[in-house]
Amino acid sequence: MPFSGAKRWLIVGIALAVLASFFSGEMNRYYLGIVIDVGIAIILAVSLNLINGHTGQFSLGHAGFMAVGGYFAAWLSLHMGANAKLFFPLSLLAGGVLAAVVGLCVGIPSLRLRGDYLAIVTLGFGEIIRVIAQNTEAVGAASGLKGIPKFTTLGWTFGLAALTIYAITALVNSTYGRGFLAVHDDEIAAESSGINTVRYKVTAFVTGAFFAGIAGGLYAHHKQFLSPTGFDWLKSVEIVVMVILGGMGRTVGVIAAAILLTVLPELLRDFAEYRMIVYALLIIFMMLLRPGGLFSINLKRRSSAA
Amino acid sequence: MQQTIQQLINGLGLGSIYALIALGYTMVYGVLRFINFAHSDVLMLGAFAAFFLAPMVEKALGPQSVMGAILVIILAAAICACIGMLIEFLAYRPLRKRPKLTVLITAIGVSLFIEFTCQNDAVLGSATRSFPKLLPEKQFTFGNLVIGSTDILVPVVTLLLLGAMWLIVQKTRVGTAMRAVSYNQQAASLMGVPVNRIISFTFGLGSALAAVAGILYSMKAPGIEPLMGVQPGLRAFIAAVVGGIGNLPGAVLGGLLIGILETFAGGIPGLSNYRDAIAFGILILILLFKPAGLLGRATIEKV
């Protein structure tokens, strides 16, 4: 599949990100903040799409992985002193790796679970992470982690977003990646044709968690404040809504949904109290009327991408 | 020793409520094979129904009468049964032939919709309200042990309802039909079982149980608010899985187990902060070592 095409998009994406970061100094701080939010949302949504969309496992704990990466990266930055800025990419990477390790720990016990059981375990895992964060003095316990240096820039966010999109598209479109789709389509059939479904599920979990951890690190150094309640299961639901709205397994749709669902609440600030009601109705109506995603009409020709 | 027994009694009270909620989860799961995420919100609606009904009933029958309390519970249960059937009709029935995951996601949507609509100031508002006293409360002391009347009431009601459910499922025609639908929907409909009506009935029954649980929970809880169902709902769901989902006595066993363990953990200084995580920890352990639950039987997946 379009390996070279994907690579082209990676280069275009990173070039755009670098270009944009030159102008970021002149941008309105408020808009700049929203644009960075969009980039982080894209990383989260695309990485969850690997688990929920391509592999067909329903995870409700993405905010948990995000929290692991965010807290760890922020903690590293706070303890690095003067050199923290230099090591920012390394902190992000470390946050991602720790999230991936945690993803492995969740993935292995959940490998014998399917569908709704997995949803509950991942939900529970997210809650456990939140409770641990709430009770750990080193990361500020219930009052949250304050004073994280502001390192996240436009360039970093979109460069990493481009990298995430590239890595996950390349993974899914590789020969190895066909296994994810096989697990998605029919787990039992895949198993009986000799595909190691457990390995694919765990790979999806670990990869998804890694990128969620990186997004968490970016988020921490963008908001400069982390609180355990910010990573409750509603945050996970928000990311799930992006994947559902975009159409599970449709990367382009998911990116569009991530942009839409980050920008829209900002535009509709006056209606903030109705936001979650609208999200809930969106979930219900999408499932009833357009289970393929809001944007599925444009992509009908590429039915193999489902 | 005294303290241990006291905690055991408290845990039994909490566990019985979890058990009652878990019964509703398990019945719906048993017939339809999906988690009704909105169950915990029906519980909340039941508590609020009682909150609004209680003053009316009090006007008619006098304060804190036994008849009045029973009337409030029955009315609230009836209201919630209707709400449950409505949810099933509007949100789940159109998706009956779709993948299970679709229904699960819809259920999450329904749950969020109820929660956040009720939190809106135009509906119920997010403020905590104090629940009216339906029955006079008494405390019995045995030596150093203190047992409140609700601590006795709750397990008794749970056991009675477990018995009633067991009778319905095992001994009545509707119960036979429920088991048939659970076993094989298509075959049941070929044998003349009205599948839609049976599923609707199951939802009604489960929601009525949720309402009763909601009222009992509110009698012990300091106040009621639109998100009150979330935490007990999650634990009750875990209880249902731990006991073996679809299995009625299993749900009660799981509920008691989680309630008691949680109460004991609350008494241990280092662990008390982690109370919220304990149920999930138990769930993960059970799924690791006995994925079908304590009383459940492993099922072989048909292709």
Side-chain angles (χ1 to χ4, degrees):
Chain A
M1 280 283 287
F3 226 88
S4 56
K7 230 169 224 161
R8 200 163 56 224
W9 282 110
L10 172 73
I11 294 162
V12 170
I14 291 179
L16 275 178
V18 172
L19 197 68
S21 61
F22 273 113
F23 297 104
S24 65
E26 289 157 39
M27 270 175 86
N28 178 322
R29 282 181 68 88
Y30 172 67
Y31 292 130
L32 182 65
I34 295 176
V35 173
I36 291 179
D37 282 341
V38 167
I40 294 171
I42 290 176
I43 302 181
L44 286 169
V46 169
S47 59
L48 184 67
N49 191 31
L50 175 67
I51 305 171
N52 286 17
H54 294 301
T55 319
Q57 305 300 305
F58 196 71
S59 164
L60 268 175
H62 220 51
F65 296 126
M66 188 187 170
V68 171
Y71 268 112
F72 191 56
W75 182 82
L76 281 177
S77 284
L78 285 172
H79 284 255
M80 212 94 77
N83 289 331
K85 189 156 191 166
L86 262 173
F87 288 107
F88 177 53
L90 277 182
S91 318
L92 285 184
L93 189 69
V97 169
L98 187 67
V101 171
V102 175
L104 189 69
C105 299
V106 187
I108 287 175
S110 57
L111 45 83
R112 39 167 111 180
L113 308 176
R114 291 197 176 128
D116 31 16
Y117 279 87
L118 184 68
I120 286 293
V121 169
T122 50
L123 170 68
F125 148 78
E127 287 288 292
I128 291 175
I129 296 280
R130 188 180 59 80
V131 171
I132 291 175
Q134 211 150 18
N135 289 300
T136 309
E137 284 303 326
V139 292
S143 54
L145 194 58
K146 290 187 261 307
I148 305 163
K150 197 171 181 73
F151 293 149
T152 302
T153 60
L154 204 61
W156 275 120
T157 314
F158 279 89
L160 286 169
L163 197 71
T164 308
I165 298 168
Y166 167 72
I168 288 179
T169 334
L171 180 66
V172 173
N173 285 334
S174 66
T175 321
Y176 179 80
R178 292 288 136 190
F180 294 119
L181 301 180
V183 173
H184 169 272
D185 289 342
D186 193 330
E187 232 178 294
I188 298 168
E191 184 85 63
S192 41
S193 16
I195 289 171
N196 189 345
T197 54
V198 165
R199 213 172 105 204
Y200 277 101
K201 286 201 258 183
V202 173
T203 310
F205 248 93
V206 171
T207 316
F210 173 75
F211 286 110
I214 286 187
L218 287 168
Y219 177 85
H221 293 86
H222 171 49
K223 301 282 181 202
Q224 298 175 274
F225 171 71
L226 289 181
S227 83
T229 46
F231 297 111
D232 61 0
W233 83 286
L234 284 179
K235 180 79 193 166
S236 297
V237 167
E238 239 172 78
I239 311 168
V240 168
V241 174
M242 289 172 190
V243 173
I244 291 173
L245 195 68
M248 291 193 249
R250 294 171 193 277
T251 309
V252 180
V254 167
I255 295 169
I259 298 171
L260 187 74
L261 287 180
T262 316
V263 175
L264 212 57
E266 293 295 333
L267 295 177
L268 301 175
R269 261 187 185 267
D270 298 341
F271 302 99
E273 53 186 315
Y274 298 106
R275 190 174 71 120
M276 285 313 292
I277 303 180
V278 171
Y279 275 19
L281 283 176
L282 262 180
I283 297 181
I284 300 172
F285 283 111
M286 290 298 293
M287 284 298 115
L288 286 172
L289 306 172
R290 293 193 73 82
L294 197 59
F295 314 102
S296 57
I297 235 173
N298 312 326
L299 295 163
K300 248 184 185 152
R301 280 170 292 138
R302 289 170 52 188
S303 55
S304 66
Chain B
M1 189 58 204
Q2 285 287 352
Q3 210 197 345
T4 313
I5 297 175
Q6 184 72 56
Q7 276 180 342
L8 199 65
I9 292 166
N10 293 343
L12 218 59
L14 187 66
S16 311
I17 293 176
Y18 291 163
L20 207 52
I21 312 170
L23 273 181
Y25 271 117
T26 252
M27 290 193 71
V28 168
Y29 191 94
V31 170
L32 274 182
R33 309 263 159 234
F34 91 101
I35 308 165
N36 180 17
F37 258 89
H39 193 70
S40 57
D41 303 300
V42 175
L43 175 151
M44 176 271 292
L45 292 175
F48 269 95
F51 173 83
F52 289 116
L53 283 168
M56 292 184 223
V57 172
E58 202 166 283
K59 224 179 259 171
L61 291 171
Q64 302 195 340
S65 65
V66 178
M67 277 306 291
I70 293 175
L71 190 65
V72 167
I73 290 177
I74 289 177
L75 284 176
I79 292 173
C80 284
C82 295
I83 295 174
M85 290 196 261
L86 190 72
I87 294 174
E88 193 271 332
F89 182 76
L90 290 178
Y92 304 149
R93 189 170 297 181
L95 298 172
R96 189 104 16 102
K97 297 262 173 341
R98 298 265 197 83
K100 287 281 165 292
L101 216 50
T102 315
V103 193
L104 177 75
I105 298 170
T106 314
I108 294 174
V110 172
S111 164
L112 290 174
F113 178 71
I114 298 177
E115 279 164 22
F116 284 92
T117 310
C118 289
Q119 267 189 312
N120 200 293
D121 289 328
V123 186
L124 293 173
S126 51
T128 307
R129 307 177 197 208
S130 59
F131 194 73
K133 292 229 176 312
L134 295 177
L135 285 171
E137 267 179 55
K138 276 198 199 120
Q139 295 213 316
F140 306 98
T141 21
F142 303 98
N144 290 334
L145 285 179
V146 184
I147 304 176
S149 49
T150 37
D151 287 333
I152 301 171
L153 179 73
V154 174
V156 170
V157 172
T158 301
L159 273 182
L160 281 178
L161 286 176
L162 169 70
M165 289 306 124
W166 190 82
L167 281 179
I168 290 177
V169 171
Q170 300 293 336
K171 302 283 174 200
T172 62
R173 278 176 68 89
V174 182
T176 314
M178 279 163 76
R179 281 180 288 141
V181 171
S182 148
Y183 193 70
N184 189 335
Q185 246 180 57
Q186 236 174 351
S189 86
L190 287 175
M191 301 314 284
V193 174
V195 172
N196 278 335
R197 279 221 312 266
I198 295 300
I199 289 174
S200 205
F201 177 79
T202 313
F203 261 86
L205 211 57
S207 303
L209 286 176
V212 178
I215 294 170
L216 293 176
Y217 186 71
S218 311
M219 284 171 146
K220 286 176 74 119
I224 57 174
E225 42 99 17
L227 292 182
M228 64 177 275
V230 176
Q231 288 300 333
L234 273 176
R235 292 193 187 142
F237 171 71
I238 292 170
V241 175
V242 165
I245 196 148
N247 182 314
L248 295 179
V252 174
L253 180 71
L256 291 179
L257 191 72
I258 290 200
I260 290 169
L261 283 177
E262 216 177 83
T263 314
F264 273 99
I268 302 167
L271 265 176
S272 56
N273 288 336
Y274 292 92
R275 253 184 90 144
D276 285 349
I278 283 170
F280 289 110
I282 297 173
L283 173 72
I284 291 170
L285 283 181
I286 287 284
L287 287 176
L288 265 180
F289 295 108
K290 218 167 174 325
L294 292 176
L295 296 187
R297 238 176 275 142
T299 50
I300 297 158
E301 199 138 341
K302 282 176 280 187
V303 187

